[in-house]
Amino acid sequence: MPLVLTDWWNSDSTYLAGTDPYRYGNTNGKRMTGAGTKHCRTEDKPFLTGVKMSSLCVDSILANGRGQYRRLPSEKETGFEFSVLEEYLVSQTSNRVQLKTIHAGFEHPILIRPTDDRKLIINAADGRRILPREGDGIFMGVGETLNIEVDFPLEEQRLELLAEIIFEGVGKKARHYENPFVKITFVRDSAIYGSKIENRLIAAFPESEARYPSIFAADNEVEDKILLNCPAKKVGKITCVTVVDFKRDPEYESLLEKTPPSINEEPDRVIDLNMNFAVGAAINGIEFKYPEMPFFDGPNSAGITICSEKALKTGGHCTQILEVEKGELIEFRVTAAENLLNIVRRWQWTYHAIHLHGYEFVVTDIGFGRANQTTGFIEGLHPAISCKDDQIKCNRAEFDEEIFTSQRSNRDDHILKNTVLVPAMGFVTFRIRADNPGIWPFHCHQLFHNYEGMAVALFVKDRDENKPFSYLPKNMPRCHHYHPKNIAIDEEPIRQNSSSGITASTLFLFIFLIL
């Protein structure tokens, strides 16, 4: 069953933009101060390993577009409004359910878990099969997709799962029973046959909606619990299975069109990228300024703001483009580092769901921030990374090669991904073979980070054929220059086995470049 999960606010986008807590820096030459601190109380915000997952609060989680609205604690009455939910109907003979799960939300990672003691299994990630791993809950970052299987024994008539906000809480103010969540319920129905699944609408009343204690609650027995796809070593007493603990399925791997990049091959280029909020949401201290037109002419296109040498060194607001050569083996080292001397930045340490368009990458290593041995809370940077200069902003991070090399994995069966979570005060490294020329967005998938500028453009340069730009007709209509009376194209695009006019592939490319 396809399962699309999203986070949801009982607010319109204008209000959310106005309360965006990340808009406190010097953005595009203007002081744009959001009212994020007024959006909700600190104790209502989600934490993991003592690190704030977001500076925003969310009102609900939706499963396939439906959920329950949670009244805020500041309102006179708490609990749920009346709502309409879905139940999913399965046959009397089904003994396992597979969820093709997509996190299509905006801001918050989501925890998926059963309401009882049954286990969940992951057997595919971002569209690629992996060797199955079993756990008690599954962590999903924004933009990730996972295949999740759960047993549904024939003697049971009902199966319930929860999708909820990660909520570790802070101190004595943590209220584990107020997590925004949605219940995903499967019920057997004699009218359903085979592997078919149907749904029906049901009424959900506040007084009938049972609450479930958080998996992190102190009174829960968590010694033997396992979280899958977790961006930490441990969460309290709960053991984590991370993205680098997963392995590719060797049977499926033989069907791949090309061999994934190897960990044992020396990369042609290493690219260091640091994500933080020192100048607003930025990468290497630069808030990405999206171009006003498509990249018709590569990095020299009109409508982009070229990064000056000063901006590349000290930060700024421009269209940051990373150039690599077609065919190169690229290793990305992505950090979420802050300078420890910057005390006021402590509450901006966080995790980032990074996403690269046009490629699958092999995640080779993950490193976590230095944790307190007693509480497990993150207190500093992973020992292999440090701020590159003494700037309080920590625009860039650098690696201690000796520590990094001594700790890095030497396995060559890591999984392919297109989205991965970078741990707070830690790092993720991954590799691609730059064989798909063009200009590709690389960004944080959390919307409020992204639109503030936590993005770059990866330009895979094709010196031989200048693809994909060589496919564009010379006089192809362009954004900001389109005129209905001037749509004739007098130059044929480069293509094979076609007659005349614009081919479907060229039209698709045109649309892609616009998007």
Side-chain angles (χ1 to χ4, degrees):
M1 186 190 82
L3 180 66
V4 180
L5 301 174
T6 58
D7 39 19
W8 181 85
W9 285 265
N10 189 38
S11 308
D12 62 28
S13 58
T14 303
Y15 172 79
L16 286 175
T19 59
D20 177 11
Y22 309 123
R23 301 177 72 180
Y24 68 90
N26 183 15
T27 305
N28 198 18
K30 299 178 181 179
R31 187 73 179 176
M32 303 176 73
T33 304
T37 55
K38 299 178 182 179
H39 185 264
C40 58
R41 302 180 302 181
T42 297
E43 58 266 29
D44 295 318
K45 295 174 182 177
F47 283 75
L48 184 73
T49 62
V51 173
K52 189 164 55 178
M53 301 296 295
S54 174
S55 292
L56 292 160
C57 286
V58 66
D59 293 316
S60 187
I61 302 296
L62 304 184
N64 289 341
R66 299 190 182 276
Q68 303 106 311
Y69 168 52
R70 177 188 68 139
R71 296 190 189 97
L72 294 174
S74 59
E75 296 179 284
K76 293 181 180 180
E77 298 180 18
T78 58
F80 290 101
E81 298 280 4
F82 168 82
S83 60
V84 176
L85 299 178
E86 286 180 330
E87 280 187 341
Y88 301 99
L89 309 178
V90 300
S91 74
Q92 300 285 2
T93 58
S94 297
N95 58 15
R96 176 170 285 199
V97 174
Q98 182 179 92
L99 304 173
K100 305 277 189 175
T101 312
I102 304 166
H103 189 337
F106 297 94
E107 174 76 4
H108 294 266
I110 290 175
L111 174 66
I112 303 169
R113 63 185 177 100
T115 59
D116 53 23
D117 293 329
R118 78 185 71 220
K119 303 295 184 180
L120 301 177
I121 296 170
I122 295 178
N123 62 16
D126 287 354
R128 296 291 191 186
R129 267 178 41 193
I130 65 175
L131 294 180
R133 293 297 296 261
E134 182 180 84
D136 300 278
I138 297 173
F139 195 100
M140 282 194 80
V142 178
E144 286 193 292
T145 66
L146 298 172
N147 280 15
I148 300 172
E149 288 192 352
V150 56
D151 285 333
F152 192 6
L154 296 178
E155 63 272 15
E156 297 180 3
Q157 292 299 308
R158 192 176 184 86
L159 166 64
E160 292 183 345
L161 304 177
L162 295 180
E164 63 183 351
I165 288 295
I166 300 293
F167 194 94
E168 192 178 52
V170 285
K172 296 179 180 178
K173 295 181 179 180
R175 296 188 303 283
H176 297 292
Y177 288 88
E178 294 184 5
N179 298 20
F181 77 96
V182 64
K183 188 188 295 183
I184 304 154
T185 306
F186 296 87
V187 179
R188 298 195 186 279
D189 191 289
S190 59
I192 308 300
Y193 296 94
S195 60
K196 190 176 181 181
I197 293 180
E198 293 186 0
N199 64 296
R200 67 182 175 199
L201 299 181
I202 60 171
F205 297 94
E207 61 272 14
S208 65
E209 192 57 53
R211 299 312 309 259
Y212 300 91
S214 168
I215 194 172
F216 306 116
D219 55 349
N220 273 8
E221 193 64 39
V222 296
E223 293 283 358
D224 59 346
K225 298 289 186 182
I226 294 176
L227 281 183
L228 301 176
N229 198 42
C230 185
K233 282 185 178 179
K234 289 180 74 82
V235 180
K237 297 180 180 179
I238 302 175
T239 302
C240 285
V241 172
T242 73
V243 65
V244 297
D245 294 321
F246 294 118
K247 297 180 180 180
R248 296 200 297 270
D249 184 333
E251 293 185 9
Y252 183 73
E253 186 178 355
S254 64
L255 303 176
L256 297 179
E257 296 176 1
K258 51 191 176 183
T259 304
S262 171
I263 188 68
N264 299 311
E265 187 178 350
E266 191 70 22
D268 297 299
R269 197 185 302 261
V270 175
I271 297 177
D272 294 328
L273 300 173
N274 188 42
M275 296 179 158
N276 67 19
F277 301 102
V279 295
I283 295 180
N284 287 352
I286 295 177
E287 292 178 295
F288 188 76
K289 181 172 174 54
Y290 282 90
E292 297 175 0
M293 304 183 207
F295 285 107
F296 279 111
D297 298 308
N300 299 316
S301 299
I304 71 172
T305 304
I306 297 175
C307 293
S308 65
E309 289 295 326
K310 181 180 179 181
L312 292 173
K313 291 180 179 179
T314 62
H317 188 78
C318 55
T319 311
Q320 185 174 193
I321 300 175
L322 309 175
E323 290 196 17
V324 302
E325 298 291 335
K326 180 184 175 184
E328 285 186 320
L329 176 62
I330 312 297
E331 178 171 282
F332 289 87
R333 300 180 181 179
V334 186
T335 51
E338 295 274 4
N339 194 318
L340 296 178
L341 298 177
N342 195 340
I343 305 300
V344 298
R345 307 276 323 127
R346 175 63 181 84
W347 292 110
Q348 293 297 339
W349 300 2
T350 192
Y351 301 78
H352 299 288
I354 58 171
H355 175 60
L356 175 61
H357 291 233
Y359 285 89
E360 293 176 303
F361 48 75
V362 177
V363 184
T364 58
D365 293 278
I366 190 168
F368 307 103
R370 178 174 50 82
N372 182 291
Q373 295 300 308
T374 302
T375 65
F377 285 8
I378 300 298
E379 293 185 336
L381 289 166
H382 184 282
I385 56 176
S386 61
C387 292
K388 191 170 184 177
D389 47 43
D390 59 357
Q391 293 183 43
I392 205 71
K393 295 177 179 178
C394 192
N395 285 340
R396 295 174 178 267
E398 65 179 348
F399 279 77
D400 183 310
E401 292 296 330
E402 184 176 349
I403 297 175
F404 175 68
T405 303
S406 67
Q407 295 184 3
R408 83 172 307 166
S409 169
N410 59 4
R411 287 174 33 222
D412 216 8
D413 58 357
H414 294 100
I415 68 171
L416 292 160
K417 293 277 288 173
N418 59 52
T419 305
V420 66
L421 277 158
V422 182
M425 302 298 274
F427 66 87
V428 165
T429 63
F430 63 83
R431 293 184 167 200
I432 66 167
R433 177 72 65 183
D435 53 9
N436 191 10
I439 296 183
W440 301 103
F442 177 70
H443 59 89
C444 182
H445 220 300
Q446 285 137 281
L447 179 66
F448 293 101
H449 301 188
N450 182 5
Y451 90 95
E452 277 297 305
M454 195 169 280
V456 298
L458 176 66
F459 177 31
V460 179
K461 193 170 186 177
D462 182 356
R463 292 183 180 274
D464 296 329
E465 299 181 64
N466 194 32
K467 294 179 180 178
F469 309 109
S470 56
Y471 280 16
L472 295 176
K474 182 178 180 181
N475 296 325
M476 190 171 186
R478 306 188 176 196
C479 292
H480 294 224
H481 297 289
Y482 178 79
H483 234 284
K485 64 180 182 180
N486 186 27
I487 61 173
I489 297 176
D490 56 13
E491 182 174 317
E492 291 292 310
I494 298 174
R495 60 189 185 276
Q496 295 178 347
N497 301 325
S498 61
S499 52
S500 61
I502 301 178
T503 65
S505 60
T506 304
L507 181 60
F508 173 80
L509 177 64
F510 174 60
I511 295 171
F512 167 77
L513 288 172
I514 293 174
L515 296 178

